[in-house]
Amino acid sequence: MAYTLGIDYGTNSVRALVVDCRDGGELGTCVVPYPSGTEGILLDPSQPHLARQHPGDYLFGLEKSVTGALAEAAKTPGFSADRIIGIGVDTTGSSPLPVDAHNVPLALDPRWKGNLAAQCWLWKDHTSHREAARITETAARHRPQFIAKCGNTYSSEWFWSKIWHCLATAPEVFEAAFSWVELSDYVPAVLAGVDDPRAVQRGICAAGHKALYSDEWGGLPDQEFLALLDPKLAALRDRLYAKAHDATHAAGALCPEWAARLGLPAGIPIAIGEMDVHYGAIGSGVAEGVLVKAIGTSTCDCSVVRADMPVADIPGICGIVPGAILPGFYGIEAGQSAVGDIFKWWVEGVLQGDGSTHRELTAAVSAQKPGENGLLALDWNNGNRTILVDPMLTGLILGQTLHTTRAEIYRALIEATAFGARAIIERLREYGVPIERVVCCGGIAEKNGLLMQIYADVTGCAMQVTGSSQACALGAAIAAAVLAGPEKGGYPNFPAAQKAMTSLKPVCYTPNAEAQAVYDRLYALYRQLHDAFGGVTRSADLSRVMKELLAIQQEQAR
Amino acid sequence: MAYTLGIDYGTNSVRALVVDCRDGGELGTCVVPYPSGTEGILLDPSQPHLARQHPGDYLFGLEKSVTGALAEAAKTPGFSADRIIGIGVDTTGSSPLPVDAHNVPLALDPRWKGNLAAQCWLWKDHTSHREAARITETAARHRPQFIAKCGNTYSSEWFWSKIWHCLATAPEVFEAAFSWVELSDYVPAVLAGVDDPRAVQRGICAAGHKALYSDEWGGLPDQEFLALLDPKLAALRDRLYAKAHDATHAAGALCPEWAARLGLPAGIPIAIGEMDVHYGAIGSGVAEGVLVKAIGTSTCDCSVVRADMPVADIPGICGIVPGAILPGFYGIEAGQSAVGDIFKWWVEGVLQGDGSTHRELTAAVSAQKPGENGLLALDWNNGNRTILVDPMLTGLILGQTLHTTRAEIYRALIEATAFGARAIIERLREYGVPIERVVCCGGIAEKNGLLMQIYADVTGCAMQVTGSSQACALGAAIAAAVLAGPEKGGYPNFPAAQKAMTSLKPVCYTPNAEAQAVYDRLYALYRQLHDAFGGVTRSADLSRVMKELLAIQQEQAR
């Protein structure tokens, strides 16, 4: 019997999971909230877009979560920590942190401890929006290929924006840093005892999606380009990395020090780090033809296409990176910038309700037919990530009468997010990405049957739910099992490991043909609004939108 | 000292008001709810668009309200009912009722008492929408001039639609009716003791606005046209009326029977009946350059232009009828199909709040600057009456983020109605109707200072509030004072009577130049949406709408 360990660094806490390699059985898990800041996040009241994390929390959480998970697993007869054959790690991203020449985070040095710029720059830190815009402009002019694969827009959430913003606003920290490491690369390097940033094994997932890395142009952006931003960024390039790797590659082997701290065998392999949603996609069974949709406050949609297929740049898609999810495949990432957050806004923000309100509203409209609410909404309260890549878009609700209810608006908002999901699926298919079914993960997918049925009816795809509620950690554990290999009790490749170790919940939401036909008509109206307000169409005729909605409503109310 | 009596028949009750002719002082008032049905309205659960009233309620309420008002007035030293020099009556409209050859409502005959078709067809009865559409089509093809002055659409609320629907669905009632009388003509005729429908003096207000009457084509629609609808309607024409009159004309003199029942001098003149909003406009001081805006669940906007001016048909305006409001002027009626109803929908319907919620929301956003909410809405939850004349339009709210509050949406809805008000004012001015200031009446105008200031800032017009809270009854009393004439203690004409008998509240909301400048920009965006969804523009570029809203918001939030 062999086991692997998956470690998932989320936004507020870290989770460790002990997995049985035979069937993906989960023997022990432990979640440790980060002790610093507000729910683990360091904030600055004067800078609302700032979100940092203390690297010490990662190390504290690493030891505590792993030992906790092992202690729980130990209750299972036959389990022994000696039988752990590998470790995988996933984290949020892009969450880069400045390190010294020994790969020690600056923030662990007493001199920089209290300096917010010396911490890990959490994915949702948006202080770097000016730098992001400048990078987008500079790339558009000089290196259009750099941003062609990420919707032609470089984000303020990403690696170079953040490092440049540090240089611009905290030059003393920038100067003190020998290098910068993504959190997803940092944790595996710690476990492997790597003490030189240049020796840290980098994952292509974060490198390709967030740091403009591609083998096409020889790795990271060239120095000439970086010098157009700032010569100091060009100089940093040599202290970063030359090569990034997919999940067939090891980040290293567990060093004796951490083996002792965690109570694990030294020398077991550590998988290359990936970002949470990518390992989550693996843990949910992503494969050719299977889209994995992580539905939470926002969504992240992961799909893959064989690396030997010619894949065009897909306009409006967040990223297309070879090897970013599964080795041998292009990893394709898309997403909606708000889903659960929109429902929360309506129920908690506007209606001042709570969890029971969600249930009441769901009950009130679950028997309604498509179109019966007479409403149409755009799911843009937090901008549009895919396929318009425009954060400066906002929400819209249309079709209200004097009789429209709060529950009908709730349903219209669910439908809007379903239409947004369909727009992504259609865009992917249009560019040759096969999608036959959708596997969803996240609490909403597990709990909200009304939403899942609407998604099935709107997209025309069967909607399944991933078997594990800890899909990210499971995916990291799968990567460890593949890396360890069959001779240790692992697997020769990802498809074999996924087949054995992942599962689906018994429920499957299949499209209802009648509902689908109505939603096709509503989606056409949604696209009219989407294209008009999103700037795809510059001469829209919207004069029939309200009338067609009323006509559909009247038909459906019969 | 001389007094007149104004009697105002509303939707749920009738009000009598005793007025001092010298200064419009209100000596006594009495409101009597109609005793029948639900809040005075006869409903049919199987026909949600049906709304009728029992004519007996009008007679009951007439006696009770007048004697009540007189009793209250009698407490004022020097008052005596003998000194009442005239009576004016206004009512809802179009509210036609079938009568027999003696001008007795069919519904007062025991044979027809329980028959809903034999009652008064209240203005808001919408059962006749099919007939209205057929009338619009037939007029468009054969008599376009008939509907050119009412936005090219004949309404289901109006005279001919209702009578035709009665013919189609209750032919026995149609056959039993000798004639049909508008409520605003019926009550004055009762007071005057008129016992032949052909002798009832008809007001041009209801005739011109609701019954397609115009001196231009010789009165009511010609028989040939009516025969295209139904030969029986053509035959009815001769039993209706040949001529309709403005408010210089008397409906008759108080008959001895009603003089005795009311305790008033027999023989005093009774002014021609007008619809409530028209006498309300007079009571609020309507004049050349003064728009009177009755703000309630919906709005009714009344203005006048000298009858010797050439007035073109104004597209999208409900009606332009010479003499309909003030003698010697075209009366022009416009309106918004929902105003107070939209706020009520949001606060009571969606938020499930009450009066205190209105106050909380107002307090929360009254300090906000224009544009600070980042929102833009269309005021179409109940369709658009003016200037698009399209009941099949619906509401829209745009610009929501994850931080938008319920109070911000409330303010956006107020602003939307203000933009709708501005669209009406601009349309009127565009066609030569002078508007220098706006006098508002209704509870919202009296109580909601935030709304009034927004209206001033959006329209650029000073917004005043009429002095009387009973402007309709006051207007009817003014008409009576003019009819009685100066020798009895009345006035030679309306301007003189209005000058003496109407007033304004001391408050005046004047436009703030800074707010006005921002609202000009927001109104431009409103018109983009208005024209795109309303079908004025068939090739709209809406790609900048959300971005300009965000830009304005950012500037204003500083």
Side-chain angles (χ1 to χ4, degrees):
Chain A
M1 280 190 291
Y3 306 93
T4 53
L5 190 63
I7 309 173
D8 168 41
Y9 282 83
T11 299
N12 311 105
S13 60
V14 53
R15 168 191 301 276
L17 178 69
V18 177
V19 176
D20 188 327
C21 289
R22 289 173 302 180
D23 56 4
E26 298 172 359
L27 275 70
T29 187
C30 178
V31 176
V32 178
Y34 305 134
S36 306
T38 306
E39 296 186 42
I41 304 172
L42 308 176
L43 304 171
D44 177 352
S46 73
Q47 294 188 71
H49 297 294
L50 184 146
R52 308 280 156 86
Q53 263 172 348
H54 183 54
D57 290 2
Y58 301 140
L59 304 178
F60 166 82
L62 180 57
E63 184 170 340
K64 206 158 172 203
S65 67
V66 171
T67 52
L70 290 173
E72 193 186 326
K75 298 176 192 161
T76 303
F79 172 81
S80 153
D82 292 344
R83 292 186 172 155
I84 302 259
I85 60 171
I87 304 176
V89 177
D90 69 85
T91 74
T92 67
S94 171
S95 301
L97 59 160
V99 294
D100 68 14
H102 300 291
N103 203 38
V104 176
L106 287 197
L108 299 185
D109 181 331
R111 272 183 303 165
W112 301 109
K113 196 171 183 295
N115 190 313
L116 282 170
Q119 313 298 318
C120 180
W121 292 51
L122 189 61
W123 66 278
K124 67 177 179 176
D125 185 295
H126 287 115
T127 51
S128 318
H129 52 92
R130 275 191 206 84
E131 288 77 10
R134 290 271 310 275
I135 294 171
T136 298
E137 281 162 36
T138 310
R141 190 167 314 143
H142 301 282
R143 301 286 189 279
Q145 69 275 24
F146 284 4
I147 51 173
K149 290 185 200 306
C150 58
N152 285 313
T153 308
Y154 195 77
S155 166
S156 64
E157 292 186 2
W158 296 350
F159 193 73
W160 291 108
S161 301
K162 285 170 166 165
I163 296 175
W164 193 8
H165 190 68
C166 176
L167 167 56
T169 58
E172 69 289 0
V173 172
F174 182 87
E175 295 298 341
F178 177 79
S179 188
W180 288 72
V181 187
E182 272 287 347
L183 179 55
S184 55
D185 297 326
Y186 171 71
V187 178
V190 165
L191 290 169
V194 178
D195 62 0
D196 181 339
R198 287 165 299 191
V200 170
Q201 300 299 299
R202 313 283 182 142
I204 190 143
C205 170
H209 279 295
K210 311 297 183 189
L212 298 177
Y213 175 99
S214 174
D215 287 334
E216 262 180 51
W217 47 81
L220 289 172
D222 55 276
Q223 285 190 316
E224 191 184 304
F225 173 79
L226 293 173
L228 290 171
L229 307 179
D230 192 299
K232 291 190 175 171
L233 290 178
L236 173 66
R237 186 181 190 275
D238 285 343
R239 304 195 308 274
L240 292 168
Y241 53 95
K243 183 76 189 160
H245 306 278
D246 70 23
T248 54
H249 194 91
L254 185 62
C255 68
E257 185 205 336
W258 275 95
R261 282 173 76 168
L262 302 178
L264 288 172
I268 56 172
I270 299 152
I272 203 91
E274 285 197 9
M275 289 187 294
D276 40 17
V277 287
H278 292 81
Y279 271 146
I282 289 175
S284 299
V286 72
E288 204 173 8
V290 179
L291 176 75
V292 172
K293 207 172 173 61
I295 309 179
T297 56
S298 60
T299 75
C300 188
D301 299 20
C302 291
S303 56
V304 295
V305 176
R306 286 214 315 276
D308 56 352
M309 299 272 287
V311 166
D313 294 338
I314 309 179
I317 293 298
C318 310
I320 306 170
V321 175
I325 301 173
L326 283 179
F329 290 83
Y330 287 99
I332 301 172
E333 190 187 323
Q336 293 171 261
S337 24
V339 173
D341 269 351
I342 295 185
F343 315 144
K344 189 176 170 181
W345 163 73
W346 181 246
V347 172
E348 296 173 33
V350 175
L351 301 182
Q352 299 176 359
D354 54 21
S356 72
T357 317
H358 277 281
R359 287 189 293 277
E360 277 161 35
L361 299 183
T362 302
V365 287
S366 56
Q368 274 201 343
K369 290 188 221 163
E372 204 179 328
N373 56 26
L375 299 170
L376 192 59
L378 289 173
D379 50 326
W380 296 351
N381 286 43
N382 196 23
N384 177 293
R385 191 180 297 157
T386 313
I387 56 179
L388 296 167
V389 199
D390 190 344
M392 304 301 272
L393 295 173
T394 48
L396 181 152
I397 304 172
L398 174 157
Q400 303 90 301
T401 68
L402 296 171
H403 308 290
T404 300
T405 68
R406 43 167 59 192
E408 288 171 332
I409 293 175
Y410 182 71
R411 182 174 170 126
L413 294 172
I414 294 176
E415 291 168 338
T417 65
F419 294 140
R422 174 163 168 175
I424 292 173
I425 291 173
E426 291 197 347
R427 175 58 53 91
L428 291 172
R429 283 180 174 158
E430 209 180 320
Y431 283 81
V433 181
I435 295 171
E436 283 143 31
R437 58 193 175 88
V438 179
V439 177
C440 301
C441 57
I444 290 178
E446 289 177 22
K447 288 176 211 153
N448 196 327
L450 173 64
L451 175 140
M452 293 293 282
Q453 186 60 50
I454 289 174
Y455 273 47
D457 293 339
V458 167
T459 63
C461 294
M463 304 292 287
Q464 297 173 303
V465 184
T466 190
S468 173
S469 299
Q470 306 163 58
C472 298
L474 175 62
I478 288 172
V482 173
L483 195 64
E487 61 281 6
K488 302 279 188 194
Y491 292 91
N493 54 45
F494 278 91
Q498 285 178 292
K499 186 157 188 266
M501 297 175 70
T502 71
S503 62
L504 293 170
K505 290 231 171 7
V507 63
C508 176
Y509 301 87
T510 53
N512 170 298
E514 226 172 285
Q516 222 185 317
V518 181
Y519 276 131
D520 279 348
R521 294 165 66 192
L522 292 168
Y523 180 71
L525 297 175
Y526 171 88
R527 280 308 293 256
Q528 274 190 274
L529 298 182
H530 174 284
D531 291 357
F533 287 99
V536 179
T537 315
R538 296 289 163 108
S539 61
D541 179 2
L542 299 176
S543 61
R544 299 287 314 156
V545 172
M546 291 172 177
K547 292 168 171 42
E548 283 178 38
L549 266 181
L550 288 173
I552 294 170
Q553 181 182 38
Q554 212 163 5
E555 288 169 38
Q556 290 298 87
R558 261 176 220 152
Chain B
M1 282 190 292
Y3 306 92
T4 52
L5 190 64
I7 308 172
D8 168 41
Y9 282 84
T11 299
N12 311 105
S13 60
V14 52
R15 169 191 298 278
L17 179 70
V18 178
V19 176
D20 188 329
C21 289
R22 289 173 303 180
D23 56 4
E26 297 171 359
L27 275 70
T29 187
C30 178
V31 177
V32 178
Y34 305 133
S36 305
T38 307
E39 297 185 44
I41 304 173
L42 308 176
L43 304 171
D44 178 350
S46 73
Q47 295 189 72
H49 298 293
L50 185 147
R52 308 279 157 85
Q53 265 173 344
H54 182 54
D57 290 2
Y58 301 139
L59 304 178
F60 167 82
L62 179 59
E63 183 169 342
K64 204 157 176 204
S65 66
V66 171
T67 52
L70 290 172
E72 193 186 328
K75 297 175 191 161
T76 303
F79 172 81
S80 153
D82 293 343
R83 291 184 173 157
I84 301 259
I85 61 170
I87 303 175
V89 177
D90 70 83
T91 74
T92 66
S94 173
S95 301
L97 59 161
V99 293
D100 68 15
H102 300 290
N103 202 38
V104 176
L106 286 198
L108 299 184
D109 182 328
R111 272 184 302 165
W112 301 108
K113 197 170 184 292
N115 190 314
L116 283 169
Q119 313 297 318
C120 179
W121 293 50
L122 190 60
W123 66 279
K124 66 177 179 176
D125 185 296
H126 288 115
T127 50
S128 317
H129 52 92
R130 275 191 206 84
E131 287 78 9
R134 290 270 311 273
I135 294 172
T136 298
E137 283 162 34
T138 310
R141 190 168 312 145
H142 300 282
R143 301 285 189 283
Q145 68 275 24
F146 285 2
I147 51 173
K149 291 185 200 306
C150 58
N152 285 313
T153 308
Y154 195 78
S155 167
S156 64
E157 293 186 1
W158 296 350
F159 194 72
W160 291 108
S161 301
K162 285 170 167 165
I163 296 175
W164 193 8
H165 190 69
C166 176
L167 168 56
T169 58
E172 69 289 0
V173 172
F174 182 88
E175 294 297 342
F178 177 79
S179 188
W180 288 72
V181 188
E182 273 286 348
L183 179 55
S184 55
D185 297 326
Y186 170 72
V187 178
V190 165
L191 289 169
V194 179
D195 63 0
D196 180 340
R198 287 164 299 190
V200 171
Q201 301 299 298
R202 314 283 181 143
I204 191 144
C205 170
H209 279 295
K210 311 297 183 189
L212 297 176
Y213 174 99
S214 172
D215 288 335
E216 261 181 53
W217 48 81
L220 289 173
D222 55 275
Q223 284 189 316
E224 190 183 305
F225 173 80
L226 293 173
L228 290 171
L229 308 180
D230 192 298
K232 291 190 173 170
L233 290 178
L236 174 66
R237 186 181 189 273
D238 285 341
R239 305 195 307 274
L240 292 168
Y241 52 96
K243 183 77 188 158
H245 306 279
D246 69 23
T248 54
H249 195 91
L254 185 62
C255 67
E257 185 205 335
W258 275 95
R261 282 174 75 168
L262 302 178
L264 288 172
I268 55 173
I270 299 152
I272 203 94
E274 285 197 8
M275 289 186 293
D276 41 17
V277 288
H278 292 82
Y279 271 146
I282 289 175
S284 300
V286 72
E288 205 173 9
V290 179
L291 175 75
V292 171
K293 207 172 172 60
I295 309 179
T297 54
S298 61
T299 75
C300 188
D301 299 20
C302 290
S303 56
V304 296
V305 176
R306 286 213 315 276
D308 56 353
M309 299 271 287
V311 166
D313 294 336
I314 308 178
I317 293 297
C318 310
I320 307 170
V321 175
I325 301 173
L326 284 178
F329 289 83
Y330 287 99
I332 300 172
E333 191 187 323
Q336 293 170 262
S337 25
V339 173
D341 269 350
I342 295 185
F343 315 144
K344 190 175 169 183
W345 164 72
W346 181 247
V347 172
E348 296 171 34
V350 175
L351 302 183
Q352 298 176 358
D354 53 21
S356 72
T357 316
H358 278 281
R359 287 190 293 277
E360 277 161 35
L361 299 182
T362 303
V365 287
S366 55
Q368 274 200 342
K369 291 189 220 163
E372 205 178 327
N373 56 27
L375 299 171
L376 192 59
L378 289 173
D379 50 326
W380 297 351
N381 286 43
N382 196 24
N384 178 292
R385 191 181 298 158
T386 313
I387 56 181
L388 296 168
V389 200
D390 189 344
M392 304 300 273
L393 295 173
T394 49
L396 181 152
I397 305 172
L398 173 157
Q400 302 90 303
T401 68
L402 296 171
H403 308 290
T404 299
T405 67
R406 45 166 61 191
E408 287 171 333
I409 293 175
Y410 181 70
R411 182 175 171 125
L413 294 172
I414 294 176
E415 291 168 338
T417 65
F419 295 139
R422 175 163 167 176
I424 292 174
I425 290 173
E426 290 196 347
R427 175 58 53 91
L428 291 172
R429 283 180 174 156
E430 210 179 318
Y431 283 81
V433 180
I435 295 172
E436 283 142 31
R437 57 192 175 87
V438 179
V439 177
C440 301
C441 57
I444 289 178
E446 289 177 23
K447 287 178 210 151
N448 196 327
L450 172 65
L451 176 140
M452 292 294 281
Q453 186 59 51
I454 289 173
Y455 273 47
D457 294 340
V458 167
T459 63
C461 294
M463 303 293 286
Q464 298 173 304
V465 184
T466 189
S468 172
S469 299
Q470 306 163 59
C472 299
L474 175 62
I478 288 172
V482 173
L483 194 66
E487 60 280 7
K488 302 279 187 194
Y491 293 91
N493 53 44
F494 278 91
Q498 285 178 294
K499 186 158 188 267
M501 296 175 69
T502 71
S503 62
L504 293 170
K505 291 232 167 17
V507 64
C508 176
Y509 301 87
T510 53
N512 170 296
E514 225 171 286
Q516 222 184 318
V518 180
Y519 276 131
D520 279 349
R521 294 165 67 193
L522 292 169
Y523 180 70
L525 297 176
Y526 171 87
R527 279 309 292 255
Q528 273 189 273
L529 298 182
H530 174 284
D531 291 357
F533 287 99
V536 179
T537 318
R538 297 288 163 108
S539 61
D541 179 2
L542 299 176
S543 59
R544 299 288 314 156
V545 172
M546 291 173 177
K547 292 167 169 45
E548 283 179 38
L549 266 182
L550 287 173
I552 294 170
Q553 180 182 40
Q554 211 163 7
E555 290 170 35
Q556 290 298 89
R558 264 176 214 154

